[in-house]
Tab-separated table of all heavy atoms in Angstrom:
chain	number	residue	atom	x	y	z
A	3	ARG	N	-8.724	-18.256	-14.592
A	3	ARG	CA	-8.807	-16.866	-14.189
A	3	ARG	C	-7.392	-16.323	-13.636
A	3	ARG	O	-6.684	-17.133	-12.900
A	3	ARG	CB	-9.752	-16.564	-13.106
A	3	ARG	CG	-11.271	-16.791	-13.450
A	3	ARG	CD	-11.682	-15.770	-14.429
A	3	ARG	NE	-11.709	-14.494	-13.690
A	3	ARG	CZ	-12.772	-13.920	-13.014
A	3	ARG	NH1	-13.918	-14.584	-12.674
A	3	ARG	NH2	-12.699	-12.751	-12.490
A	14	ALA	N	-18.204	-7.125	-7.291
A	14	ALA	CA	-18.863	-8.177	-6.446
A	14	ALA	C	-17.849	-9.302	-6.043
A	14	ALA	O	-17.852	-9.754	-4.968
A	14	ALA	CB	-20.058	-8.848	-7.210
A	17	ALA	N	-15.571	-7.969	-3.328
A	17	ALA	CA	-16.311	-8.086	-2.091
A	17	ALA	C	-16.195	-9.387	-1.459
A	17	ALA	O	-16.111	-9.626	-0.388
A	17	ALA	CB	-17.596	-7.562	-2.217
A	38	GLY	N	-2.577	-31.978	-0.743
A	38	GLY	CA	-2.123	-32.951	-1.684
A	38	GLY	C	-0.752	-33.451	-1.168
A	38	GLY	O	-0.531	-34.631	-0.947
A	40	LYS	N	-0.139	-29.611	-3.162
A	40	LYS	CA	0.153	-29.229	-4.368
A	40	LYS	C	1.271	-28.090	-4.254
A	40	LYS	O	1.388	-27.478	-3.226
A	40	LYS	CB	-1.166	-28.593	-5.114
A	40	LYS	CG	-2.185	-29.503	-5.319
A	40	LYS	CD	-3.415	-28.844	-5.976
A	40	LYS	CE	-4.607	-29.847	-6.149
A	40	LYS	NZ	-5.720	-29.132	-6.733
A	48	LYS	N	12.525	-9.280	-7.853
A	48	LYS	CA	12.844	-8.074	-6.940
A	48	LYS	C	12.985	-8.644	-5.614
A	48	LYS	O	12.331	-9.607	-5.162
A	48	LYS	CB	11.825	-7.012	-6.975
A	48	LYS	CG	11.647	-6.236	-8.310
A	48	LYS	CD	10.576	-5.034	-8.085
A	48	LYS	CE	10.648	-4.251	-9.411
A	48	LYS	NZ	9.728	-3.092	-9.259
A	72	ASP	N	14.139	-17.587	-7.378
A	72	ASP	CA	14.728	-16.355	-7.645
A	72	ASP	C	15.211	-16.292	-9.248
A	72	ASP	O	15.924	-17.126	-9.582
A	72	ASP	CB	15.995	-16.093	-6.808
A	72	ASP	CG	15.689	-15.902	-5.406
A	72	ASP	OD1	14.804	-14.943	-5.088
A	72	ASP	OD2	16.251	-16.600	-4.462
A	107	GLY	N	5.333	-8.735	-19.069
A	107	GLY	CA	5.900	-10.126	-18.638
A	107	GLY	C	4.787	-11.018	-18.058
A	107	GLY	O	4.582	-12.206	-18.420
A	115	SER	N	-0.252	-19.756	-19.812
A	115	SER	CA	-0.361	-20.688	-18.563
A	115	SER	C	-1.776	-21.259	-18.515
A	115	SER	O	-2.844	-20.490	-18.566
A	115	SER	CB	-0.052	-19.939	-17.294
A	115	SER	OG	-0.258	-20.558	-16.116
A	134	ALA	N	-5.233	-6.372	0.474
A	134	ALA	CA	-4.812	-6.267	1.888
A	134	ALA	C	-5.303	-4.982	2.506
A	134	ALA	O	-5.758	-4.915	3.762
A	134	ALA	CB	-3.320	-6.469	2.167
A	136	LEU	N	-7.606	-3.050	1.593
A	136	LEU	CA	-9.141	-2.963	1.544
A	136	LEU	C	-9.585	-3.781	2.761
A	136	LEU	O	-10.625	-3.385	3.398
A	136	LEU	CB	-9.835	-3.374	0.278
A	136	LEU	CG	-9.639	-2.492	-0.875
A	136	LEU	CD1	-10.209	-3.192	-2.131
A	136	LEU	CD2	-10.193	-1.171	-0.797
A	147	ALA	N	-17.584	1.020	0.874
A	147	ALA	CA	-18.313	2.002	0.043
A	147	ALA	C	-18.671	3.212	0.651
A	147	ALA	O	-18.951	3.295	1.840
A	147	ALA	CB	-19.703	1.421	-0.495
A	159	ASN	N	2.908	5.986	-9.783
A	159	ASN	CA	3.437	4.686	-9.601
A	159	ASN	C	2.464	3.585	-9.496
A	159	ASN	O	1.296	3.774	-9.544
A	159	ASN	CB	4.377	4.714	-8.322
A	159	ASN	CG	3.530	4.951	-7.047
A	159	ASN	OD1	2.369	4.843	-7.048
A	159	ASN	ND2	4.262	5.147	-5.950
A	160	ASN	N	2.891	2.282	-9.268
A	160	ASN	CA	1.950	1.242	-9.269
A	160	ASN	C	1.015	1.195	-8.184
A	160	ASN	O	-0.127	0.851	-8.259
A	160	ASN	CB	2.756	-0.061	-9.210
A	160	ASN	CG	3.932	-0.082	-8.117
A	160	ASN	OD1	3.990	0.725	-7.264
A	160	ASN	ND2	4.719	-1.234	-7.995
A	162	ALA	N	-0.345	3.973	-6.782
A	162	ALA	CA	-1.457	4.929	-7.080
A	162	ALA	C	-2.390	4.336	-8.056
A	162	ALA	O	-3.567	4.466	-7.977
A	162	ALA	CB	-0.808	6.174	-7.690
A	164	SER	N	-3.059	1.220	-8.590
A	164	SER	CA	-3.978	0.180	-7.829
A	164	SER	C	-4.917	0.746	-6.929
A	164	SER	O	-6.155	0.361	-6.908
A	164	SER	CB	-3.041	-1.022	-7.232
A	164	SER	OG	-2.549	-1.831	-8.118
A	175	ASN	N	-14.368	6.952	-2.465
A	175	ASN	CA	-14.064	8.221	-2.911
A	175	ASN	C	-12.662	8.448	-2.867
A	175	ASN	O	-12.086	8.600	-1.715
A	175	ASN	CB	-14.842	9.302	-2.288
A	175	ASN	CG	-16.374	9.068	-2.356
A	175	ASN	OD1	-17.014	8.888	-3.521
A	175	ASN	ND2	-17.096	8.932	-1.296
A	188	PRO	N	-3.021	9.006	-17.000
A	188	PRO	CA	-4.435	9.500	-17.468
A	188	PRO	C	-5.341	8.300	-17.877
A	188	PRO	O	-6.485	8.289	-17.649
A	188	PRO	CB	-4.153	10.337	-18.662
A	188	PRO	CG	-2.740	10.887	-18.456
A	188	PRO	CD	-2.012	9.848	-17.845
A	191	VAL	N	-6.534	6.846	-14.713
A	191	VAL	CA	-7.600	7.758	-13.951
A	191	VAL	C	-8.994	7.468	-14.859
A	191	VAL	O	-9.999	7.456	-14.215
A	191	VAL	CB	-7.145	9.175	-14.270
A	191	VAL	CG1	-8.258	10.169	-13.734
A	191	VAL	CG2	-5.893	9.342	-13.346
A	209	GLN	N	-3.137	19.071	-6.600
A	209	GLN	CA	-1.624	19.321	-6.152
A	209	GLN	C	-1.575	19.774	-4.668
A	209	GLN	O	-0.494	20.337	-4.272
A	209	GLN	CB	-0.979	20.252	-7.197
A	209	GLN	CG	-0.883	19.651	-8.637
A	209	GLN	CD	-0.337	20.666	-9.559
A	209	GLN	OE1	0.336	21.547	-9.254
A	209	GLN	NE2	-0.839	20.522	-10.811
A	218	ALA	N	-11.072	13.140	5.223
A	218	ALA	CA	-10.676	11.781	4.804
A	218	ALA	C	-10.925	10.645	5.921
A	218	ALA	O	-10.668	11.019	7.106
A	218	ALA	CB	-9.335	11.660	4.263
A	232	GLU	N	17.041	4.868	-6.381
A	232	GLU	CA	17.935	5.328	-5.238
A	232	GLU	C	18.762	6.542	-5.636
A	232	GLU	O	19.140	7.391	-4.801
A	232	GLU	CB	18.804	4.178	-4.781
A	232	GLU	CG	17.950	3.078	-3.964
A	232	GLU	CD	17.191	2.163	-4.880
A	232	GLU	OE1	17.340	2.223	-6.193
A	232	GLU	OE2	16.483	1.251	-4.415
A	261	PHE	N	-4.246	5.912	9.263
A	261	PHE	CA	-3.136	6.045	8.307
A	261	PHE	C	-2.533	4.710	7.862
A	261	PHE	O	-2.414	3.685	8.634
A	261	PHE	CB	-1.877	6.803	8.963
A	261	PHE	CG	-0.787	6.846	8.134
A	261	PHE	CD1	-0.718	7.854	7.041
A	261	PHE	CD2	0.352	5.963	8.239
A	261	PHE	CE1	0.427	7.913	6.196
A	261	PHE	CE2	1.332	6.002	7.426
A	261	PHE	CZ	1.511	7.034	6.315
A	264	CYS	N	2.286	0.907	2.676
A	264	CYS	CA	2.558	-0.554	2.316
A	264	CYS	C	3.908	-0.939	2.916
A	264	CYS	O	4.024	-2.211	2.831
A	264	CYS	CB	2.300	-0.809	0.843
A	264	CYS	SG	3.569	0.010	-0.234
A	283	SER	N	-2.067	5.071	12.963
A	283	SER	CA	-1.399	4.162	12.115
A	283	SER	C	-1.849	2.804	12.302
A	283	SER	O	-1.913	2.238	13.370
A	283	SER	CB	0.167	4.219	12.258
A	283	SER	OG	0.764	3.180	11.369
A	296	GLN	N	-4.273	-12.600	0.501
A	296	GLN	CA	-3.794	-13.462	-0.570
A	296	GLN	C	-4.283	-15.011	-0.478
A	296	GLN	O	-4.335	-15.486	-1.500
A	296	GLN	CB	-2.319	-13.295	-0.517
A	296	GLN	CG	-1.689	-12.019	-1.040
A	296	GLN	CD	-0.346	-11.640	-0.615
A	296	GLN	OE1	0.052	-10.572	-0.936
A	296	GLN	NE2	0.418	-12.489	0.010
A	306	GLN	N	-12.149	-21.096	-9.325
A	306	GLN	CA	-12.681	-20.700	-10.564
A	306	GLN	C	-12.393	-21.649	-11.654
A	306	GLN	O	-13.068	-21.755	-12.713
A	306	GLN	CB	-12.196	-19.206	-10.908
A	306	GLN	CG	-12.384	-18.189	-9.892
A	306	GLN	CD	-13.882	-18.171	-9.544
A	306	GLN	OE1	-14.724	-17.912	-10.455
A	306	GLN	NE2	-14.293	-18.417	-8.268
Side-chain angles (χ1 to χ4, degrees):
R3 294 288 297 273
K40 298 177 182 179
K48 294 186 175 185
D72 288 312
S115 174
L136 293 177
N159 65 11
N160 52 5
S164 280
N175 301 305
V191 172
Q209 297 172 29
E232 290 82 4
F261 172 79
C264 68
S283 176
Q296 288 161 186
Q306 302 309 302

